[in-house]
Amino acid sequence: MSEPNFRKPVRKAVFPVAGLGTRFLPATKAIPKELLPVVDRPLIQYAVDEAREAGIEEFVFVTGRGKTAIVEHFDTAYELEATMTGRGKSLDVLDPTRIEPGNLVTVRQQVPLGLGHAVWCARAVVGNEPFAIFLPDELMYGSPGCMAQMIEAYNEVGGNFVSVLEVPMEEVSSYGVIAPGESKGSLTEVKGLVEKPKAAEAPSNKIVSGRYILQPEIMDLLASQGKGAGGEIQLTDSMAKLIGQQPFHAVTFNGRRFDCGSKVGFVEATLAIALDRDDMGGEVREMAKKMLG
Ligand code: G1P
């Protein structure tokens, strides 16, 4: 059960990673989309780093067939480590891939019924605690990270949270959209939520950008959630039912967001992060300038 003030610490995070990644075929035929590298880190690593920075201790991956390599990525690679050590090479580069023994849990989503269904698949591991959700396609880049910014707000007001950002009105129909109430700084009250509305019917241009903090009661709502937009069981529809029962806020992320679910977004993330890196930014800038004439 939630505490009356809905401020129990957020220790667990759910990563829905069962998707087929068809938009990136043939790259994703044998490799999970979440392992495609942005510079030299797989996409999922950015989300796990962001979670860790926000204090997340337990990592719950909702996987499916063909996704085992994601779990391998966060495991010990004995032969690799022994060989590198034998050659006198540092293993520091592997540090972000180490998750405490017992703190990585996988559950399977056997059939792709939607994001709401994927999250519900994690109910036994989540139990009666508030938890975070990370959609790894959304690469949130900044310091402090998006979830750390959300946790800061959570510690003040408690309840349920989504991250939001503004997009041109013609793009809202691809996303969950909030009906905003009062705002104070980066914090906005959420008065309503709708999944993939037509632009003309959207309550705002503030879209849900793939980070959530939810109270455990969402799981009961998901259990009986019917199909919504696109014929899928939508997380947004169950979240909408929490509004009015529990506090619900949105945090506008102070940082940059890259939509790595699209190819152009993926290229944009790669270029932006490469330009920002101390070890290669200068060289990449020169290369890009030359390329663009
Ligand atoms: C999902 C959510 C949507 C959210 C989006 C962010 O949609 O259902 O509310 O805005 O992620 O990327 P999907 O991209 O799975 O269609």
Side-chain angles (χ1 to χ4, degrees):
M1 286 264 285
S2 296
E3 292 191 346
N5 64 2
F6 303 108
R7 273 191 230 184
K8 229 170 144 181
V10 181
R11 301 185 312 111
K12 301 180 181 181
V14 174
F15 300 78
V17 292
L20 292 175
T22 48
R23 274 198 263 176
F24 284 84
L25 282 170
T28 49
K29 187 181 172 196
I31 295 169
K33 176 180 67 175
E34 295 78 9
L35 290 185
L36 296 180
V38 176
V39 189
D40 52 9
R41 290 165 168 240
L43 196 46
I44 186 77
Q45 185 73 60
Y46 290 89
V48 165
D49 292 350
E50 183 193 329
R52 210 181 251 136
E53 182 211 13
I56 297 297
E57 294 164 11
E58 203 167 304
F59 301 80
V60 187
F61 292 99
V62 183
T63 69
R65 290 176 294 283
K67 293 288 188 145
T68 324
I70 297 176
V71 183
E72 296 285 331
H73 174 77
F74 292 104
D75 199 355
T76 298
Y78 182 77
E79 293 83 353
L80 177 67
E81 294 178 21
T83 308
M84 285 173 71
T85 306
R87 291 179 185 164
K89 289 211 162 105
S90 162
L91 297 179
D92 292 356
V93 71
L94 296 175
D95 281 350
T97 68
R98 299 186 200 285
I99 289 179
E100 279 279 292
N103 279 356
L104 187 160
V105 182
T106 65
V107 295
R108 297 271 264 202
Q109 184 190 25
Q110 287 89 346
V111 270
L113 297 179
L115 178 59
H117 179 256
V119 171
W120 178 76
C121 287
R123 67 198 178 282
V125 187
V126 165
N128 282 322
E129 290 186 33
F131 63 105
I133 304 172
F134 291 76
L135 308 188
D137 268 0
E138 299 279 357
L139 201 166
M140 306 300 262
Y141 192 68
S143 185
C146 184
M147 187 54 70
Q149 292 180 21
M150 291 168 75
I151 290 284
E152 198 188 324
Y154 174 84
N155 289 339
E156 286 194 8
V157 297
N160 301 274
F161 282 84
V162 289
S163 62
V164 291
L165 51 92
E166 291 185 37
V167 299
M169 212 60 202
E170 57 270 23
E171 289 174 25
V172 294
S173 58
S174 304
Y175 298 101
V177 179
I178 69 162
E182 273 179 42
S183 280
K184 197 177 147 215
S186 63
L187 193 68
T188 302
E189 201 187 335
V190 176
K191 297 244 176 200
L193 275 160
V194 40
E195 182 68 16
K196 301 195 172 68
K198 290 192 184 112
E201 289 157 19
S204 76
N205 67 338
K206 286 182 192 283
I207 62 132
V208 177
S209 66
R211 298 292 182 272
Y212 308 79
I213 298 171
L214 296 174
Q215 299 298 316
E217 287 75 14
I218 191 76
M219 292 297 188
D220 297 332
L221 296 168
L222 285 171
S224 57
Q225 182 62 55
K227 289 179 181 171
E232 298 193 336
I233 297 172
Q234 297 290 356
L235 179 61
T236 303
D237 294 341
S238 285
M239 290 194 303
K241 295 176 189 160
L242 281 177
I243 298 168
Q245 295 189 27
Q246 297 182 358
F248 212 125
H249 290 89
V251 169
T252 304
F253 173 47
N254 180 11
R256 292 163 83 184
R257 166 255 187 179
F258 304 108
D259 172 15
C260 290
S262 88
K263 288 177 216 185
V264 172
F266 207 98
V267 173
E268 186 192 4
T270 305
L271 184 59
I273 291 175
L275 285 170
D276 204 34
R277 289 251 305 233
D278 291 340
D279 60 338
M280 60 194 294
E283 240 178 290
V284 173
R285 188 172 307 276
E286 286 315 307
M287 178 272 291
K289 269 196 214 153
K290 241 186 246 164
M291 200 185 262
L292 297 173

